[in-house]
Amino acid sequence: MAVCARLCGVGQSRRCRRRQRHNQQDQASDSDMDEEEEERISGVATAGGGFPDRTSTGPPHPQSLAELPPELLVEIVSLLPGTALPNVALVCKKFRQILNTETIWRRRCMEEFGMKDDLRKMEVGGVSSRDLYVKLLHPYRHILGLWQPDIGPYGGLLNVVVDGLFIIGWMYLPPHDPRVEDPMRRRPLFRIHLLESNKATVECMYGHKGPHKGDIQTVKKDEFSTKCNQTDYHRMPGGRQEEFRTWLEEEWGRTLEEIFHEHMQELILMKFIYTSQYDNCLTYRRIYLPPAMPSDLLHPGLFKGTYGSHGLEIVMLSFIGTYARATKLTGDPNVPAGQLTLDVDLRRPVVLPDLEQQRNIEELSRLVMGVHEEVQREDQQQAMDTSAAARGAAEGASGGASVAEGVEADHITCSDSCQPGPSTTTTTTTTSPPEALPFVLPLGVMARNEVYPRTCRKCFYGTGLIAGHGFTSPERTPGLFVLFDEDRFGFIWLELKSFSLYSRLTDHLAHSHAPNMERFEAMLMNMQSWTS
């Protein structure tokens, strides 16, 4: 504030102004010679035709920001971020009055929160841009963006956005199984507005009886909680049976009688019982979309994927080094949300045989397991080298030197057998689009969706995470990652003899990009700990 006062030529008291006038008088005597010299130079330059006459009878130039015309001050202040405006109001009375101008707050709403035509409608309704910014947008700005709800193993995807005159939390749901390429569905869970009073009102949108009282609490940084204050709005006249039938129609697009698989019926009923007990009283943790790099195999982002009897789930595809990784945002009782479902080694491409050979599951298994065994040998060798180096360091300087030499000799001796083949050195970036290759699933491999692409670009060795109920005995099993195009990929689970097809989410998710790669990687590590 002191800096602003010096810029404006004002202070907080008369003493500040008196000191300023005193300083100006002291400076006046020191500048007499400068003024005389300037007049002399100006006279000489004018006589020689070098400079025009600077003598002017117009108004004096302003000496501080406070002396600028109000319309110019409004333009300057409107360029400042909203978080700086409270400090501007503390500078002086004139600045405080300038901040009453609607133009300033309208510009902040537009530039910081993307509001345009909605502002005019709101102002016609009697709510000013300043009230909207100060009482709604600014206080709740920290909950805008992407979030994952804590719903046990099931997780979820919530996007909180400024939507018209509201802040709305939209829960994104996959399309009905197995239509993986259909658009996402979304359901409002809560909203915040200024329509009924001069303060922000939080409403729960869960259930089928319309908006009702709710609450939002900030637990800590990058985490908040919602609470419904009228859970009776969630109940239906027909009791739990009617609630289950309605939920099943929304979640799966069918009735229980239309689902013939008994195990699938059990999974559906289990999910309903587990998720309905929360009554929209949930805790959310912030997540980010993965940053894109020029070397990425395809653009990272969110994808919908088929997971057998568990239906469609949402995964986040990211690239870290030479690996492509898919992390679950929604999960199931076997492999919960937050876990690394796919881990693909982009240094190990797999060349598919002709179509006739592709139909043979034994041939595909031979190709993938050959790469898998090579990876295991390299991991074992690396573990041996690391163990030998550790022993050498523990034995001391002299003994350690001899052990290190022995380890180096062993490494040179086995270099021929451990050296990766030409396929492992292939880079993932190309200067031109790769040629489309024919592709067909092997006989005996189950697919929820028989409509899958019949051409692919590339295939790579990878592993998928499988586990028993309750995430018991988790293990990574080898499989084949198949890149179809920029928006679709698949994975063949060899042990399960199953195929998962993934299709990109095309929805625009606001306020969702990670500040940097470090923050994104830290978020991925935290996600696994949330559901472990």
Side-chain angles (χ1 to χ4, degrees), residues 355-407:
L355 282 178
E356 190 62 31
Q357 290 294 323
Q358 288 184 38
R359 291 187 174 92
N360 186 348
I361 184 65
E362 300 298 332
E363 177 64 19
L364 180 63
S365 297
R366 185 187 65 80
L367 290 174
V368 175
M369 293 307 297
V371 181
H372 183 65
E373 292 170 0
E374 180 183 355
V375 171
Q376 288 182 320
R377 286 195 301 269
E378 292 182 4
D379 290 344
Q380 291 174 358
Q381 182 63 43
Q382 183 177 4
M384 292 173 57
D385 292 348
T386 303
S387 177
R391 289 196 305 268
E395 291 178 359
S398 59
S402 61
V403 171
E405 291 172 359
V407 170

Side-chain angles (χ1 to χ4, degrees), residues 308-325:
S309 300
H310 299 292
L312 300 187
E313 299 183 9
I314 305 173
V315 304
M316 175 186 292
L317 180 69
S318 59
F319 295 88
I320 299 178
T322 57
Y323 288 86
R325 289 170 175 166

